[in-house]
Amino acid sequence: MAKFVLIGSGLAGGLLAAYLGRRGHEVDLYERRADPREGNIVGGRSINLAISTRGIHALEQIGIADEALRHAIPMRGRMIHDKSGALHFSPYDVDPRKCINSIGRAALNTTVIEAAQRYPSVRVYFTHRCTDVDLDSAAAHFETVNGAVTARGDAIIGVDGAFSAVRKSMQRDIANFQYDESYLAHGYKELTIPPALDGSWQMEKNVLHIWPRKSFMMIALPNPDGSFTCTLFWEFEGPRSFTTTKTDDDVRRFFEEEFPDAVPLMPTLLEDFRNNQTGSLVTIRCAPWFYRDKVCLVGDAAHAVVPFYGQGMNAAFEDCVVLDECLQKVPHNRQRAFAEYFRRRKENADALADLAIGNFIEMRDKTASKTFRAIQKLDHALESALPGVYLPLYTMVTFTRMPYAMAAKRARVQDRIVYMGLIAFLTLAIVAFAVLVQAHLTPTKP
Ligand SMILES: Cc1cc2nc3c(=O)[nH]c(=O)nc-3n(C[C@H](O)[C@H](O)[C@H](O)COP(=O)(O)OP(=O)(O)OC[C@H]3O[C@@H](n4cnc5c(N)ncnc54)[C@H](O)[C@@H]3O)c2cc1C
Protein backbone atom coordinates (compact mmCIF):
# COMPACT_ATOMS: atom_id res chain seq x y z
CA MET A 1 0.00 0.00 0.00
CA ALA A 2 1.16 3.51 -0.84
CA LYS A 3 1.60 6.45 1.48
CA PHE A 4 -0.25 9.57 0.35
CA VAL A 5 0.37 13.05 1.72
CA LEU A 6 -2.75 15.14 1.13
CA ILE A 7 -2.52 18.93 1.31
CA GLY A 8 -5.83 20.57 2.30
CA SER A 9 -8.64 19.07 4.33
CA GLY A 10 -11.44 21.04 2.70
CA LEU A 11 -14.41 19.30 1.12
CA ALA A 12 -12.50 17.20 -1.41
CA GLY A 13 -9.47 16.62 0.87
CA GLY A 14 -11.56 15.01 3.61
CA LEU A 15 -13.48 12.87 1.16
CA LEU A 16 -10.40 11.73 -0.75
CA ALA A 17 -8.68 10.80 2.52
CA ALA A 18 -11.69 8.59 3.31
CA TYR A 19 -11.55 6.95 -0.13
CA LEU A 20 -7.81 6.25 0.17
CA GLY A 21 -8.14 5.11 3.77
CA ARG A 22 -10.87 2.67 2.76
CA ARG A 23 -8.42 1.04 0.33
CA GLY A 24 -5.91 0.62 3.17
CA HIS A 25 -3.47 3.33 2.02
CA GLU A 26 -1.51 5.33 4.56
CA VAL A 27 -2.83 8.91 4.47
CA ASP A 28 -1.39 11.99 6.15
CA LEU A 29 -3.78 14.90 5.64
CA TYR A 30 -2.42 18.39 6.33
CA GLU A 31 -4.60 21.49 6.70
CA ARG A 32 -3.48 25.09 7.19
CA ARG A 33 -6.51 25.98 9.33
CA ALA A 34 -7.37 24.84 12.83
CA ASP A 35 -9.73 21.91 13.35
CA PRO A 36 -13.21 22.96 12.04
CA ARG A 37 -14.76 21.19 15.04
CA GLU A 38 -13.16 23.86 17.22
CA GLY A 39 -15.44 26.49 15.70
CA ASN A 40 -13.59 27.71 12.64
CA ILE A 41 -15.39 28.54 9.45
CA VAL A 42 -13.91 26.10 6.99
CA GLY A 43 -12.90 27.10 3.47
CA GLY A 44 -13.56 30.78 4.10
CA ARG A 45 -16.18 30.82 1.40
CA SER A 46 -19.90 30.27 1.09
CA ILE A 47 -21.65 29.27 4.31
CA ASN A 48 -23.90 26.87 2.45
CA LEU A 49 -23.77 25.13 -0.91
CA ALA A 50 -26.00 23.16 -3.21
CA ILE A 51 -25.20 19.47 -3.44
CA SER A 52 -26.76 17.36 -6.17
CA THR A 53 -26.55 13.94 -7.81
CA ARG A 54 -22.78 13.80 -8.47
CA GLY A 55 -21.82 14.92 -4.99
CA ILE A 56 -24.39 12.68 -3.32
CA HIS A 57 -23.18 9.68 -5.33
CA ALA A 58 -19.60 10.31 -4.13
CA LEU A 59 -20.80 10.41 -0.51
CA GLU A 60 -22.89 7.26 -1.03
CA GLN A 61 -19.87 5.30 -2.27
CA ILE A 62 -18.24 5.80 1.12
CA GLY A 63 -21.46 5.27 3.06
CA ILE A 64 -21.89 8.78 4.47
CA ALA A 65 -24.63 10.29 2.28
CA ASP A 66 -27.39 9.88 4.87
CA GLU A 67 -25.22 11.31 7.63
CA ALA A 68 -24.18 14.28 5.46
CA LEU A 69 -27.67 14.99 4.14
CA ARG A 70 -29.38 14.71 7.53
CA HIS A 71 -29.65 18.49 7.85
CA ALA A 72 -29.73 19.37 4.15
CA ILE A 73 -32.73 21.27 2.81
CA PRO A 74 -34.12 20.15 -0.56
CA MET A 75 -34.73 22.95 -3.06
CA ARG A 76 -37.26 22.07 -5.79
CA GLY A 77 -36.68 25.01 -8.12
CA ARG A 78 -35.96 28.68 -8.48
CA MET A 79 -38.17 31.33 -6.90
CA ILE A 80 -37.72 34.47 -8.95
CA HIS A 81 -38.32 37.79 -7.16
CA ASP A 82 -39.02 40.65 -9.53
CA LYS A 83 -38.63 44.29 -8.54
CA SER A 84 -42.31 44.68 -7.73
CA GLY A 85 -42.00 41.83 -5.23
CA ALA A 86 -43.98 39.42 -7.43
CA LEU A 87 -42.78 35.80 -7.24
CA HIS A 88 -42.47 33.26 -10.06
CA PHE A 89 -41.65 29.65 -9.30
CA SER A 90 -39.79 27.59 -11.85
CA PRO A 91 -39.16 23.90 -10.99
CA TYR A 92 -35.74 22.39 -11.72
CA ASP A 93 -37.22 19.33 -13.35
CA VAL A 94 -40.51 17.81 -14.47
CA ASP A 95 -40.04 15.22 -11.75
CA PRO A 96 -40.76 17.09 -8.49
CA ARG A 97 -38.60 14.59 -6.58
CA LYS A 98 -35.51 15.94 -8.34
CA CYS A 99 -34.08 18.55 -6.01
CA ILE A 100 -30.79 20.19 -5.24
CA ASN A 101 -29.94 20.37 -1.55
CA SER A 102 -28.73 23.28 0.54
CA ILE A 103 -26.07 22.00 2.91
CA GLY A 104 -23.81 23.78 5.41
CA ARG A 105 -20.16 23.86 4.34
CA ALA A 106 -18.77 23.52 7.85
CA ALA A 107 -21.00 20.55 8.76
CA LEU A 108 -20.23 18.77 5.50
CA ASN A 109 -16.52 19.38 5.97
CA THR A 110 -16.67 17.90 9.46
CA THR A 111 -18.59 14.88 8.14
CA VAL A 112 -15.97 14.06 5.50
CA ILE A 113 -13.04 14.56 7.88
CA GLU A 114 -14.66 12.33 10.49
CA ALA A 115 -15.39 9.73 7.81
CA ALA A 116 -11.68 9.74 6.92
CA GLN A 117 -10.61 9.47 10.55
CA ARG A 118 -12.64 6.27 10.97
CA TYR A 119 -9.94 4.51 8.94
CA PRO A 120 -6.96 3.72 11.16
CA SER A 121 -4.45 4.49 8.39
CA VAL A 122 -5.62 8.14 8.10
CA ARG A 123 -4.03 10.87 10.24
CA VAL A 124 -5.05 14.54 10.13
CA TYR A 125 -2.80 17.46 11.05
CA PHE A 126 -4.34 20.92 11.42
CA THR A 127 -2.53 24.30 11.46
CA HIS A 128 0.03 23.04 8.95
CA ARG A 129 0.36 25.46 6.05
CA CYS A 130 2.09 23.98 3.04
CA THR A 131 4.70 26.39 1.70
CA ASP A 132 6.36 24.30 -0.98
CA VAL A 133 6.48 20.85 -2.54
CA ASP A 134 9.52 19.07 -3.88
CA LEU A 135 8.01 17.18 -6.80
CA ASP A 136 10.75 14.60 -7.41
CA SER A 137 11.03 13.41 -3.82
CA ALA A 138 7.28 13.82 -3.01
CA ALA A 139 8.15 15.96 0.01
CA ALA A 140 5.94 18.74 1.30
CA HIS A 141 7.17 21.57 3.51
CA PHE A 142 4.94 23.20 6.12
CA GLU A 143 4.88 26.15 8.45
CA THR A 144 3.46 25.34 11.87
CA VAL A 145 3.28 27.16 15.20
CA ASN A 146 6.28 25.09 16.25
CA GLY A 147 8.34 25.90 13.17
CA ALA A 148 9.00 24.24 9.84
CA VAL A 149 8.06 20.59 9.22
CA THR A 150 8.58 18.31 6.22
CA ALA A 151 6.34 15.37 5.28
CA ARG A 152 7.29 12.68 2.79
CA GLY A 153 5.17 10.10 1.04
CA ASP A 154 5.02 8.02 -2.11
CA ALA A 155 2.80 10.72 -3.60
CA ILE A 156 1.51 14.19 -2.72
CA ILE A 157 -2.06 15.11 -3.60
CA GLY A 158 -2.89 18.81 -3.80
CA VAL A 159 -6.45 19.25 -2.56
CA ASP A 160 -5.67 22.76 -1.39
CA GLY A 161 -8.23 24.75 -3.33
CA ALA A 162 -8.16 27.44 -5.99
CA PHE A 163 -4.95 29.07 -4.72
CA SER A 164 -3.13 25.77 -4.35
CA ALA A 165 0.44 25.78 -3.06
CA VAL A 166 0.99 22.35 -4.64
CA ARG A 167 -0.03 23.70 -8.05
CA LYS A 168 2.32 26.67 -7.59
CA SER A 169 5.23 24.26 -7.09
CA MET A 170 4.17 22.42 -10.27
CA GLN A 171 4.01 25.73 -12.16
CA ARG A 172 7.53 26.51 -11.06
CA ASP A 173 9.10 23.11 -11.69
CA ILE A 174 7.29 21.49 -14.64
CA ALA A 175 8.43 22.71 -18.03
CA ASN A 176 5.52 23.92 -20.19
CA PHE A 177 3.01 23.65 -17.35
CA GLN A 178 -0.14 25.32 -18.70
CA TYR A 179 -1.90 27.74 -16.43
CA ASP A 180 -4.73 30.14 -16.99
CA GLU A 181 -6.72 32.12 -14.42
CA SER A 182 -9.51 34.52 -15.26
CA TYR A 183 -11.47 36.65 -12.83
CA LEU A 184 -15.03 37.82 -13.36
CA ALA A 185 -15.66 41.56 -13.15
CA HIS A 186 -18.13 40.61 -10.39
CA GLY A 187 -17.43 39.86 -6.77
CA TYR A 188 -19.72 38.42 -4.11
CA LYS A 189 -20.81 39.29 -0.60
CA GLU A 190 -22.76 37.12 1.82
CA LEU A 191 -25.66 38.62 3.77
CA THR A 192 -28.28 37.16 6.09
CA ILE A 193 -32.02 36.79 6.40
CA PRO A 194 -32.48 35.60 10.01
CA PRO A 195 -35.27 33.25 11.14
CA ALA A 196 -38.65 34.68 12.15
CA LEU A 197 -39.28 35.14 15.89
CA ASP A 198 -40.80 31.67 16.11
CA GLY A 199 -37.70 30.17 14.43
CA SER A 200 -39.38 29.54 11.08
CA TRP A 201 -38.18 30.59 7.62
CA GLN A 202 -39.29 34.05 6.51
CA MET A 203 -39.59 33.00 2.85
CA GLU A 204 -40.51 29.78 1.07
CA LYS A 205 -37.99 27.28 2.41
CA ASN A 206 -37.66 24.58 -0.27
CA VAL A 207 -36.49 26.72 -3.16
CA LEU A 208 -33.44 28.68 -4.26
CA HIS A 209 -34.42 32.35 -4.26
CA ILE A 210 -33.11 34.60 -7.03
CA TRP A 211 -33.41 38.35 -7.50
CA PRO A 212 -32.19 38.65 -11.13
CA ARG A 213 -31.35 42.22 -12.13
CA LYS A 214 -29.71 41.83 -15.57
CA SER A 215 -26.03 42.63 -14.89
CA PHE A 216 -26.10 41.49 -11.24
CA MET A 217 -28.22 39.38 -8.90
CA MET A 218 -28.78 38.20 -5.37
CA ILE A 219 -29.57 34.61 -4.40
CA ALA A 220 -30.61 33.03 -1.08
CA LEU A 221 -30.29 29.44 0.13
CA PRO A 222 -32.07 28.14 3.25
CA ASN A 223 -30.24 26.96 6.38
CA PRO A 224 -31.54 24.43 8.93
CA ASP A 225 -31.74 27.08 11.68
CA GLY A 226 -34.49 29.01 9.84
CA SER A 227 -32.15 31.58 8.30
CA PHE A 228 -31.19 32.17 4.66
CA THR A 229 -27.72 32.97 3.45
CA CYS A 230 -28.00 35.57 0.69
CA THR A 231 -25.20 36.18 -1.78
CA LEU A 232 -25.02 39.38 -3.77
CA PHE A 233 -23.09 38.98 -7.04
CA TRP A 234 -22.23 42.48 -8.23
CA GLU A 235 -19.68 44.36 -10.29
CA PHE A 236 -16.52 45.41 -8.43
CA GLU A 237 -16.23 48.61 -10.48
CA GLY A 238 -18.64 50.92 -12.29
CA PRO A 239 -21.14 53.68 -11.54
CA ARG A 240 -23.14 51.36 -9.27
CA SER A 241 -20.83 48.74 -7.82
CA PHE A 242 -19.10 47.49 -4.68
CA THR A 243 -16.49 50.22 -5.08
CA THR A 244 -18.91 53.13 -5.36
CA THR A 245 -21.34 51.92 -2.68
CA LYS A 246 -19.53 53.12 0.40
CA THR A 247 -21.85 54.57 3.02
CA ASP A 248 -24.77 52.96 4.85
CA ASP A 249 -27.07 55.31 2.94
CA ASP A 250 -25.65 54.09 -0.40
CA VAL A 251 -26.22 50.48 0.64
CA ARG A 252 -29.75 51.10 1.92
CA ARG A 253 -30.71 53.05 -1.22
CA PHE A 254 -29.33 50.37 -3.53
CA PHE A 255 -31.15 47.54 -1.73
CA GLU A 256 -34.41 49.47 -1.48
CA GLU A 257 -34.31 50.15 -5.22
CA GLU A 258 -33.29 46.67 -6.31
CA PHE A 259 -34.48 44.18 -3.67
CA PRO A 260 -37.38 45.98 -1.94
CA ASP A 261 -39.08 42.79 -0.77
CA ALA A 262 -35.89 41.47 0.84
CA VAL A 263 -34.94 44.61 2.80
CA PRO A 264 -37.56 44.22 5.59
CA LEU A 265 -36.27 40.67 6.13
CA MET A 266 -32.63 41.78 6.53
CA PRO A 267 -32.30 43.65 9.84
CA THR A 268 -28.50 43.26 9.85
CA LEU A 269 -28.05 44.29 6.21
CA LEU A 270 -25.86 47.31 6.90
CA GLU A 271 -23.57 45.54 9.39
CA ASP A 272 -23.34 42.48 7.15
CA PHE A 273 -22.49 44.61 4.14
CA ARG A 274 -19.84 46.52 6.09
CA ASN A 275 -18.29 43.57 7.90
CA ASN A 276 -18.42 40.69 5.42
CA GLN A 277 -15.60 40.56 2.95
CA THR A 278 -16.16 40.83 -0.79
CA GLY A 279 -14.95 37.66 -2.49
CA SER A 280 -13.66 37.31 -6.03
CA LEU A 281 -14.76 34.75 -8.59
CA VAL A 282 -12.07 32.91 -10.49
CA THR A 283 -11.88 30.22 -13.14
CA ILE A 284 -8.63 28.26 -13.14
CA ARG A 285 -7.53 25.90 -15.88
CA CYS A 286 -4.23 24.11 -15.83
CA ALA A 287 -2.49 21.07 -17.29
CA PRO A 288 -1.16 18.55 -16.54
CA TRP A 289 -2.77 17.72 -13.21
CA PHE A 290 -0.01 15.28 -12.26
CA TYR A 291 3.73 14.86 -12.18
CA ARG A 292 4.99 11.32 -12.79
CA ASP A 293 3.72 9.07 -9.98
CA LYS A 294 4.61 11.73 -7.41
CA VAL A 295 2.08 14.56 -7.44
CA CYS A 296 -1.56 14.98 -8.44
CA LEU A 297 -4.17 17.76 -8.18
CA VAL A 298 -7.83 17.25 -7.20
CA GLY A 299 -10.83 19.60 -6.87
CA ASP A 300 -10.46 23.37 -7.09
CA ALA A 301 -6.67 23.04 -7.08
CA ALA A 302 -7.01 21.51 -10.56
CA HIS A 303 -10.08 23.34 -11.86
CA ALA A 304 -11.73 26.14 -9.91
CA VAL A 305 -14.99 27.27 -11.54
CA VAL A 306 -17.37 30.13 -10.80
CA PRO A 307 -20.28 28.99 -8.59
CA PHE A 308 -23.26 29.58 -10.89
CA TYR A 309 -24.02 25.98 -11.76
CA GLY A 310 -23.61 24.90 -8.13
CA GLN A 311 -21.17 22.24 -9.31
CA GLY A 312 -17.66 23.13 -8.03
CA MET A 313 -17.87 20.88 -4.99
CA ASN A 314 -19.92 18.28 -6.85
CA ALA A 315 -17.17 18.11 -9.49
CA ALA A 316 -14.46 17.97 -6.81
CA PHE A 317 -16.26 15.02 -5.20
CA GLU A 318 -16.59 13.36 -8.61
CA ASP A 319 -12.79 13.74 -9.00
CA CYS A 320 -12.38 11.67 -5.83
CA VAL A 321 -14.57 8.88 -7.27
CA VAL A 322 -12.67 8.85 -10.56
CA LEU A 323 -9.20 9.00 -8.97
CA ASP A 324 -10.16 6.12 -6.68
CA GLU A 325 -11.38 4.09 -9.69
CA CYS A 326 -8.16 4.79 -11.61
CA LEU A 327 -5.95 3.83 -8.64
CA GLN A 328 -7.93 0.60 -8.28
CA LYS A 329 -7.69 -0.19 -11.99
CA VAL A 330 -3.87 -0.01 -12.11
CA PRO A 331 -2.80 -0.46 -8.49
CA HIS A 332 0.87 -1.02 -9.37
CA ASN A 333 1.29 1.87 -11.76
CA ARG A 334 0.36 5.12 -10.07
CA GLN A 335 1.62 7.27 -12.93
CA ARG A 336 -0.79 5.53 -15.32
CA ALA A 337 -3.57 5.92 -12.77
CA PHE A 338 -2.87 9.68 -12.46
CA ALA A 339 -2.69 10.01 -16.26
CA GLU A 340 -5.99 8.15 -16.73
CA TYR A 341 -7.66 10.31 -14.04
CA PHE A 342 -6.41 13.47 -15.78
CA ARG A 343 -7.59 12.19 -19.18
CA ARG A 344 -11.07 11.42 -17.85
CA ARG A 345 -11.52 14.64 -15.92
CA LYS A 346 -9.80 17.46 -17.83
CA GLU A 347 -12.23 17.97 -20.73
CA ASN A 348 -15.12 17.70 -18.30
CA ALA A 349 -13.66 20.30 -15.96
CA ASP A 350 -13.14 22.61 -18.95
CA ALA A 351 -16.73 22.03 -20.09
CA LEU A 352 -18.01 22.77 -16.57
CA ALA A 353 -16.02 26.02 -16.45
CA ASP A 354 -17.79 27.20 -19.61
CA LEU A 355 -21.20 26.01 -18.40
CA ALA A 356 -20.75 27.82 -15.08
CA ILE A 357 -19.99 31.14 -16.75
CA GLY A 358 -22.94 30.65 -19.14
CA ASN A 359 -25.26 29.98 -16.22
CA PHE A 360 -24.32 33.30 -14.58
CA ILE A 361 -25.79 35.11 -17.57
CA GLU A 362 -28.84 32.83 -17.46
CA MET A 363 -29.46 33.35 -13.72
CA ARG A 364 -28.89 37.09 -13.48
CA ASP A 365 -30.45 38.10 -16.79
CA LYS A 366 -32.65 35.51 -18.46
CA THR A 367 -34.53 33.95 -15.55
CA ALA A 368 -36.51 37.20 -15.21
CA SER A 369 -37.87 37.02 -18.76
CA LYS A 370 -41.16 35.46 -19.80
CA THR A 371 -39.52 34.04 -22.94
CA PHE A 372 -36.97 32.18 -20.82
CA ARG A 373 -39.71 30.73 -18.66
CA ALA A 374 -41.63 29.66 -21.77
CA ILE A 375 -38.50 27.96 -23.15
CA GLN A 376 -38.04 26.18 -19.85
CA LYS A 377 -41.63 24.93 -20.02
CA LEU A 378 -41.01 23.69 -23.57
CA ASP A 379 -37.85 21.94 -22.29
CA HIS A 380 -39.86 20.19 -19.59
CA ALA A 381 -42.68 19.33 -22.02
CA LEU A 382 -40.17 17.72 -24.39
CA GLU A 383 -38.58 15.86 -21.47
CA SER A 384 -42.02 14.46 -20.49
CA ALA A 385 -42.94 13.61 -24.08
CA LEU A 386 -39.59 11.98 -24.87
CA PRO A 387 -38.43 10.44 -21.59
CA GLY A 388 -34.78 9.37 -21.68
CA VAL A 389 -34.42 10.82 -25.19
CA TYR A 390 -34.64 14.54 -24.53
CA LEU A 391 -32.93 15.84 -21.40
CA PRO A 392 -32.63 19.55 -20.58
CA LEU A 393 -29.04 20.68 -20.02
CA TYR A 394 -29.71 21.58 -16.37
CA THR A 395 -31.09 18.10 -15.76
CA MET A 396 -28.06 16.41 -17.33
CA VAL A 397 -25.62 18.52 -15.33
CA THR A 398 -27.43 18.41 -12.02
CA PHE A 399 -29.43 15.19 -11.89
CA THR A 400 -27.24 12.73 -13.81
CA ARG A 401 -23.61 11.70 -13.72
CA MET A 402 -23.20 12.08 -17.46
CA PRO A 403 -19.75 13.59 -18.09
CA TYR A 404 -20.06 17.39 -18.27
CA ALA A 405 -18.54 17.60 -21.76
CA MET A 406 -21.01 15.01 -23.06
CA ALA A 407 -23.94 16.88 -21.45
CA ALA A 408 -22.86 20.15 -23.07
CA LYS A 409 -22.47 18.47 -26.47
CA ARG A 410 -25.78 16.66 -26.23
CA ALA A 411 -27.55 19.89 -25.28
CA ARG A 412 -26.11 21.62 -28.35
CA VAL A 413 -27.37 18.79 -30.61
CA GLN A 414 -30.81 18.82 -28.94
CA ASP A 415 -31.07 22.59 -29.33
CA ARG A 416 -30.25 22.32 -33.04
CA ILE A 417 -32.89 19.60 -33.55
CA VAL A 418 -35.55 21.54 -31.63
CA TYR A 419 -34.67 24.71 -33.54
CA MET A 420 -34.88 22.92 -36.91
CA GLY A 421 -38.09 21.22 -35.81
CA LEU A 422 -39.65 24.57 -34.91
CA ILE A 423 -38.59 26.05 -38.28
CA ALA A 424 -40.02 22.99 -40.11
CA PHE A 425 -43.24 23.26 -38.10
CA LEU A 426 -43.59 26.99 -38.84
CA THR A 427 -42.84 26.46 -42.54
CA LEU A 428 -45.47 23.72 -42.75
CA ALA A 429 -47.98 25.90 -40.90
CA ILE A 430 -47.35 28.81 -43.28
CA VAL A 431 -47.66 26.55 -46.35
CA ALA A 432 -50.88 24.99 -45.02
CA PHE A 433 -52.27 28.45 -44.29
CA ALA A 434 -51.35 29.65 -47.80
CA VAL A 435 -53.00 26.58 -49.38
CA LEU A 436 -56.18 27.16 -47.36
CA VAL A 437 -56.31 30.85 -48.29
CA GLN A 438 -55.72 30.00 -51.95
CA ALA A 439 -58.49 27.38 -51.88
CA HIS A 440 -60.82 29.85 -50.24
CA LEU A 441 -60.13 32.59 -52.82
CA THR A 442 -60.34 30.37 -55.93
CA PRO A 443 -63.83 30.94 -57.46
CA THR A 444 -65.88 27.76 -57.76
CA LYS A 445 -67.30 26.92 -61.21
CA PRO A 446 -70.99 27.58 -61.60
C1 LIG B 1 -19.65 31.75 -3.24
C2 LIG B 1 -19.45 30.32 -3.63
C3 LIG B 1 -20.54 29.48 -3.68
C4 LIG B 1 -20.39 28.15 -4.05
N1 LIG B 1 -21.47 27.34 -4.13
C5 LIG B 1 -21.35 26.07 -4.54
C6 LIG B 1 -22.48 25.22 -4.64
O1 LIG B 1 -23.61 25.63 -4.37
N2 LIG B 1 -22.29 23.92 -5.04
C7 LIG B 1 -21.06 23.45 -5.36
O2 LIG B 1 -20.95 22.26 -5.75
N3 LIG B 1 -19.95 24.23 -5.27
C8 LIG B 1 -20.06 25.52 -4.87
N4 LIG B 1 -18.95 26.30 -4.76
C9 LIG B 1 -17.65 25.75 -5.11
C10 LIG B 1 -17.03 24.98 -3.94
O3 LIG B 1 -16.92 25.83 -2.83
C11 LIG B 1 -15.65 24.46 -4.31
O4 LIG B 1 -15.67 23.89 -5.58
C12 LIG B 1 -15.20 23.41 -3.29
O5 LIG B 1 -15.03 24.01 -2.03
C13 LIG B 1 -13.89 22.77 -3.74
O6 LIG B 1 -13.43 21.91 -2.75
P1 LIG B 1 -11.85 21.71 -2.54
O7 LIG B 1 -11.74 20.76 -1.43
O8 LIG B 1 -11.22 21.42 -3.84
O9 LIG B 1 -11.32 23.14 -2.11
P2 LIG B 1 -11.62 23.93 -0.75
O10 LIG B 1 -12.96 23.63 -0.25
O11 LIG B 1 -11.25 25.34 -1.04
O12 LIG B 1 -10.59 23.32 0.29
C14 LIG B 1 -9.21 23.58 0.22
C15 LIG B 1 -8.63 23.36 1.59
O13 LIG B 1 -7.22 23.47 1.50
C16 LIG B 1 -6.75 24.27 2.56
N5 LIG B 1 -5.49 24.89 2.12
C17 LIG B 1 -5.34 25.85 1.19
N6 LIG B 1 -4.07 26.16 1.04
C18 LIG B 1 -3.37 25.37 1.90
C19 LIG B 1 -2.00 25.24 2.20
N7 LIG B 1 -1.07 25.99 1.61
N8 LIG B 1 -1.63 24.32 3.13
C20 LIG B 1 -2.56 23.54 3.76
N9 LIG B 1 -3.88 23.64 3.52
C21 LIG B 1 -4.28 24.54 2.59
C22 LIG B 1 -7.87 25.27 2.80
O14 LIG B 1 -7.80 25.84 4.08
C23 LIG B 1 -9.09 24.39 2.61
O15 LIG B 1 -9.48 23.76 3.80
C24 LIG B 1 -19.10 27.65 -4.37
C25 LIG B 1 -17.98 28.50 -4.31
C26 LIG B 1 -18.16 29.82 -3.94
C27 LIG B 1 -16.97 30.72 -3.90
Side-chain angles (χ1 to χ4, degrees):
M1 286 296 153
K3 178 176 173 191
F4 289 92
V5 172
L6 268 55
I7 315 291
S9 76
L11 297 174
L15 188 69
L16 185 61
Y19 269 84
L20 295 172
R22 180 179 61 156
R23 301 290 184 199
H25 295 295
E26 292 286 313
V27 179
D28 283 348
L29 175 58
Y30 291 91
E31 166 60 43
R32 71 175 169 191
R33 292 170 191 269
D35 190 332
R37 290 159 293 192
E38 288 165 12
N40 295 281
I41 302 291
V42 182
R45 282 188 281 171
S46 57
I47 288 169
N48 55 20
L49 326 100
I51 187 165
S52 47
T53 300
R54 295 167 203 266
I56 294 171
H57 172 259
L59 296 172
E60 277 167 356
Q61 297 309 296
I62 206 93
I64 55 169
D66 290 343
E67 183 185 341
L69 290 169
R70 206 174 35 217
H71 301 297
I73 301 178
M75 298 181 288
R76 289 177 288 110
R78 297 163 168 160
M79 185 67 87
I80 310 296
H81 296 238
D82 72 20
K83 268 197 183 184
S84 73
L87 301 177
H88 308 274
F89 176 68
S90 168
Y92 281 128
D93 196 81
V94 273
D95 179 349
R97 287 167 304 173
K98 287 195 179 141
C99 299
I100 60 174
N101 302 277
S102 175
I103 194 165
R105 187 186 282 270
L108 180 58
N109 208 159
T110 299
T111 305
V112 290
I113 292 172
E114 285 180 349
Q117 285 179 320
R118 278 176 214 142
Y119 297 99
S121 60
V122 177
R123 291 164 296 268
V124 187
Y125 303 91
F126 294 101
T127 52
H128 279 63
R129 190 177 75 84
C130 176
T131 50
D132 193 15
V133 169
D134 178 15
L135 306 187
D136 282 304
S137 62
H141 305 289
F142 300 92
E143 243 175 40
T144 75
V145 280
N146 301 318
V149 175
T150 297
R152 290 171 209 284
D154 296 310
I156 307 265
I157 314 254
V159 228
D160 49 346
F163 303 100
S164 165
V166 180
R167 191 186 60 230
K168 278 200 190 94
S169 299
M170 294 170 77
Q171 269 175 272
R172 187 193 56 208
D173 294 342
I174 299 178
N176 301 322
F177 186 83
Q178 292 166 30
Y179 179 72
D180 180 67
E181 64 177 24
S182 70
Y183 284 86
L184 287 190
H186 293 68
Y188 71 93
K189 195 183 277 291
E190 293 203 330
L191 306 160
T192 308
I193 293 182
L197 287 177
D198 64 359
S200 62
W201 289 266
Q202 297 202 63
M203 302 186 294
E204 166 65 48
K205 167 189 166 193
N206 294 111
V207 295
L208 187 149
H209 293 268
I210 311 182
W211 291 258
R213 297 295 181 261
K214 296 232 176 267
S215 71
F216 61 93
M217 68 172 176
M218 183 166 78
I219 64 170
L221 272 71
N223 295 311
D225 66 355
S227 67
F228 286 87
T229 303
C230 305
T231 312
L232 170 66
F233 295 97
W234 200 18
E235 287 97 335
F236 276 114
E237 307 283 341
R240 275 166 102 222
S241 62
F242 279 120
T243 311
T244 53
T245 306
K246 291 200 171 83
T247 64
D248 284 356
D249 279 347
D250 293 342
V251 175
R252 196 180 299 111
R253 201 174 316 116
F254 169 66
F255 271 78
E256 278 169 358
E257 269 172 32
E258 298 296 341
F259 314 116
D261 62 332
V263 174
L265 311 179
M266 304 173 88
T268 56
L269 169 64
L270 300 179
E271 294 94 298
D272 289 350
F273 199 93
R274 232 182 289 125
N275 300 335
N276 296 353
Q277 63 176 29
T278 309
S280 53
L281 297 163
V282 67
T283 302
I284 287 173
R285 300 173 203 250
C286 67
W289 293 358
F290 69 102
Y291 175 74
R292 299 192 181 150
D293 63 345
K294 299 290 184 203
V295 182
C296 190
L297 299 174
V298 168
D300 275 17
H303 52 75
V305 299
V306 293
F308 304 107
Y309 233 112
Q311 285 294 314
M313 165 197 55
N314 285 283
F317 279 5
E318 205 170 45
D319 285 352
C320 300
V321 176
V322 174
L323 181 56
D324 177 60
E325 283 172 8
C326 295
L327 287 167
Q328 277 304 103
K329 198 168 139 196
V330 274
H332 304 299
N333 191 337
R334 205 169 40 247
Q335 180 163 349
R336 259 187 62 203
F338 286 168
E340 171 76 0
Y341 154 76
F342 173 58
R343 190 193 61 74
R344 282 176 60 185
R345 296 304 287 160
K346 173 63 177 159
E347 68 163 342
N348 292 307
D350 286 345
L352 175 60
D354 295 338
L355 288 169
I357 289 171
N359 216 41
F360 183 31
I361 299 162
E362 180 165 317
M363 285 175 84
R364 70 175 202 218
D365 191 353
K366 298 189 183 156
T367 50
S369 95
K370 283 189 181 140
T371 318
F372 176 81
R373 289 202 287 270
I375 291 173
Q376 227 187 7
K377 280 191 183 140
L378 173 68
D379 244 7
H380 289 170
L382 287 169
E383 188 186 359
S384 299
L386 304 165
V389 177
Y390 184 92
L391 285 171
L393 176 60
Y394 189 87
T395 298
M396 291 189 274
V397 170
T398 310
F399 301 123
T400 77
R401 293 192 294 116
M402 184 186 299
Y404 292 115
M406 191 189 284
K409 192 171 166 197
R410 184 165 161 172
R412 281 193 297 273
V413 172
Q414 286 181 171
D415 283 354
R416 226 171 292 142
I417 294 170
V418 171
Y419 184 68
M420 284 179 339
L422 280 176
I423 289 183
F425 176 78
L426 283 175
T427 311
L428 273 177
I430 290 167
V431 169
F433 181 72
V435 168
L436 277 175
V437 169
Q438 188 66 28
H440 192 69
L441 292 180
T442 308
T444 46
K445 284 190 182 153

